[in-house]
Amino acid sequence: MTTIPAPPTGGHVSGLSRLALPWAVIRLGFRRQFAYPQAALWGLITNSFFGLLRVAVLLALFGTRPQVAGYTPQDAITYTGLTQAFIMAFSLFGWFDFMRVIHRGEVTADLLRPASLLGFWAAQDAGRALGQLVLRGLPMLLIFQVIWGLNWPPGPLAWAQVTLSVLLAWACGFLFRLLVNCAAFWSPDAVGFGRFAWAVLGLGCGFLMPLAFFPEWFRALLAWTPFPAMLNTVVELWVGVTTGGAAWAALGTQLGWTLALLLACRVTLRAGLRRLEVAGG
């Protein structure tokens, strides 16, 4: 069994050790995703099947029209491939890991680690997300490329913007998921909060349908929420719907929501830990 290296004894943790621990957690989170390759394979097959259905629905929506809300049929295919590829990396169907740890009292063990609770879980989820992207995300993009062909970012600047957007989308999504899981500090049955949150996330982030296809009033409403930053921004930058100054503005919005959610998580964790009760004490 691989273990996380212990910090040096002697009173304080060196700066190198502070960096070594998160990297070790990321590495272990990544490797853990390869423990059940058959599950990943069947998950990929399932996602591919539903991806085919989603492509058929979107192409039927276009009919003979060459463009809908700035999307071409090829853009719509690329959108479907991207959203299917990021399902597991971004945990779009739900994530209850931290909630279970709170309910079982195991969060106390996390508090003893030589790292912040938030930092430890962020590192763990980063490794998980990267592993799922390699196992299921990249093969999904390959399948779509072979069957239909995809639109790809046109140059180094576009690739850099997309890469940054993917990182911010993961960070924003992780912080939102952690915030939802913090409901377990106040409720012994917080799963219902999570299920409602994931339903809202699926609609608001643009997974069910490109947000550009929705009415203007609905998009204006979503603009006041962090959900588009969790997936839709990545898609629009990738397919070229958002370019130039608007692309940098979209990245700024993602960063702003990430920082806002980071602050909300810190405040909520502090409040939740103050009322934490394990084994009656």
Side-chain angles (χ1 to χ4, degrees):
M1 178 184 295
T2 306
T3 59
I4 298 174
T9 58
H12 93 273
V13 180
S14 69
L16 183 60
S17 295
R18 289 181 184 276
L19 293 175
L21 179 61
W23 280 113
V25 175
I26 291 173
R27 187 168 61 251
L28 291 176
F30 177 82
R31 292 171 57 185
R32 189 178 297 121
Q33 307 311 305
F34 293 82
Y36 303 101
Q38 290 185 342
L41 174 62
W42 285 109
L44 178 62
I45 293 172
T46 302
N47 286 353
S48 300
F49 173 74
F50 283 103
L52 296 176
L53 294 181
R54 295 181 67 204
V55 167
V57 171
L58 280 177
L59 292 182
L61 175 65
F62 277 83
T64 59
R65 287 176 291 183
Q67 193 176 91
V68 173
Y71 281 73
T72 65
Q74 196 65 31
D75 289 337
I77 291 172
T78 302
Y79 153 82
T80 307
L82 286 173
T83 52
Q84 291 295 119
F86 285 120
I87 284 176
M88 294 304 297
F90 290 169
S91 294
L92 296 177
F93 287 170
W95 182 81
F96 296 98
D97 293 10
F98 188 58
M99 190 178 293
R100 296 189 190 101
V101 165
I102 295 171
H103 283 155
R104 292 196 296 250
E106 296 170 4
V107 68
T108 53
D110 291 341
L111 293 171
L112 297 176
R113 301 181 191 277
S116 71
L117 183 64
L118 180 56
F120 173 78
W121 276 89
Q124 187 171 249
D125 195 70
R128 179 206 59 78
L130 182 59
Q132 287 297 325
L133 186 62
V134 171
L135 268 175
R136 294 171 65 166
L138 297 182
M140 179 65 64
L141 292 178
L142 178 61
I143 290 171
F144 270 71
Q145 175 65 28
V146 169
I147 298 177
W148 290 290
L150 297 174
N151 289 339
W152 298 87
L157 178 60
W159 272 110
Q161 289 174 331
V162 167
T163 301
L164 180 57
S165 182
V166 169
L167 293 174
L168 289 171
W170 164 77
C172 194
F174 163 73
L175 291 168
F176 172 74
R177 288 184 275 115
L178 190 73
L179 192 60
V180 171
N181 276 241
C182 283
F185 285 118
W186 287 270
S187 172
D189 187 18
V191 174
F193 293 102
R195 288 173 178 164
F196 175 76
W198 313 143
V200 174
L201 171 63
L203 177 65
C205 75
F207 174 77
L208 298 179
M209 189 71 67
L211 296 187
F213 289 11
F214 287 98
E216 178 65 32
W217 67 266
F218 188 68
R219 284 186 280 128
L221 180 64
L222 286 176
W224 291 93
T225 73
F227 302 121
M230 299 177 193
L231 180 63
N232 188 70
T233 302
V234 174
V235 173
E236 293 194 344
L237 289 173
W238 184 296
V239 302
V241 172
T242 302
T243 58
W248 293 112
L251 289 170
T253 300
Q254 280 187 295
L255 178 59
W257 278 116
T258 299
L259 294 176
L261 286 170
L262 176 60
L263 177 60
C265 278
R266 288 187 179 277
V267 171
T268 305
L269 278 173
R270 189 177 298 115
L273 290 172
R274 276 201 299 265
R275 71 183 312 280
L276 180 65
E277 185 175 305
V278 178

